[in-house]
Amino acid sequence: KLTSKCVRMAESKQNESNVKFAISKDVGLDAIQSAQKLSEDAIKDHGCFRIAVSGGSFAKLFGNGLQQLIKAQSTNNIDFGKWRIFFADERCVTLDDDDSNFKGFQTQFLSKVKEIKSENVYPINEELVKHAQTEWKEQETQSEKDAVMNKMAAQVCDAYLQDVCKEFNIGDANTGNMPSFDAIFLG
């Protein structure tokens, strides 16, 4: 049973910083407090906070951490209106599917933060998934069905990469330029 405060270890490499959180009862609060500080710095530096989040239990931890933070501070002083939210490990399912990381994050976190506009949240292209599901049902063999799913996964990935490149003003993804997120939280 882990009851100690979250252990934070920071490793610095030039301008990069990796922070690892050990599992504890306060990991959600520690994560949202880190995001609060990182978002303040990013907004001062370039006007927005670009964050990528994972699925699974992270959304619940993050949402609970936000509630703890608001309760402790009696206010919410995070400028969520300038957040841009991406998904680090989304599954190729519709956005309302129980396996969708977007759905989990929407339910556990975004529903508690009204300041984040839907155009600042970047889920996968659901229409590509729906089209592939329809096409999949029309296939007769497993190899044909697998080919449809593989093609869809590649299309979803390409479309998502285009969304990321557009937000980061990279242009063509083939230029070799890489986006630099302000924070990436993985479960």
Side-chain angles (χ1 to χ4, degrees):
K1 181 176 175 182
L2 296 172
T3 58
S4 63
K5 276 204 143 264
C6 181
V7 177
R8 296 177 52 172
M9 302 180 312
E11 307 168 35
S12 294
K13 296 181 204 170
Q14 296 170 358
N15 294 331
E16 297 177 298
S17 182
N18 297 321
V19 178
K20 298 176 184 176
F21 296 96
I23 296 176
S24 78
K25 66 178 183 168
D26 295 327
V27 71
L29 178 60
D30 292 337
I32 196 72
Q33 286 174 327
S34 290
Q36 179 181 23
K37 174 67 174 129
L38 292 168
S39 70
E40 288 170 2
D41 294 345
I43 291 166
K44 285 178 189 169
D45 181 61
H46 51 271
C48 68
F49 177 59
R50 295 180 182 116
I51 179 174
V53 297
S54 66
S57 62
F58 177 75
K60 183 176 181 179
L61 289 170
F62 210 54
N64 290 343
L66 176 64
Q67 289 179 321
Q68 288 177 281
L69 182 68
I70 292 170
K71 186 176 181 180
Q73 295 180 348
S74 301
T75 185
N76 172 15
N77 59 1
I78 300 174
D79 191 355
F80 286 115
K82 295 186 178 163
W83 281 36
R84 309 292 185 269
I85 299 176
F86 296 84
F87 297 88
D89 62 349
E90 183 59 284
R91 297 173 178 102
C92 289
V93 296
T94 57
L95 300 180
D96 61 352
D97 189 290
D98 286 339
D99 288 332
S100 168
N101 291 334
F102 168 81
K103 180 181 179 182
F105 203 73
Q106 172 69 35
T107 302
Q108 298 292 333
F109 183 76
L110 292 173
S111 64
K112 299 171 183 163
V113 183
K114 304 300 182 206
E115 300 89 351
I116 298 176
K117 298 175 185 169
S118 61
E119 61 265 19
N120 292 338
V121 180
Y122 296 84
I124 61 170
N125 184 325
E126 184 177 41
E127 292 307 312
L128 293 172
V129 175
K130 288 179 178 180
H131 175 74
Q133 288 174 339
T134 301
E135 189 177 340
W136 182 85
K137 291 175 185 175
E138 297 169 357
Q139 305 308 309
E140 294 182 18
T141 68
Q142 188 60 46
S143 64
E144 292 172 328
K145 291 178 181 201
D146 290 345
V148 168
M149 290 295 113
N150 290 336
K151 178 182 171 186
M152 181 264 303
Q155 290 173 333
V156 167
C157 181
D158 288 344
Y160 202 75
L161 182 58
Q162 289 175 11
D163 288 344
V164 171
C165 288
K166 183 178 177 182
E167 169 59 27
F168 285 86
N169 296 315
I170 291 176
D172 184 0
N174 296 320
T175 63
N177 294 331
M178 298 293 293
S180 180
F181 286 91
D182 300 305
I184 301 174
F185 285 91
L186 303 174

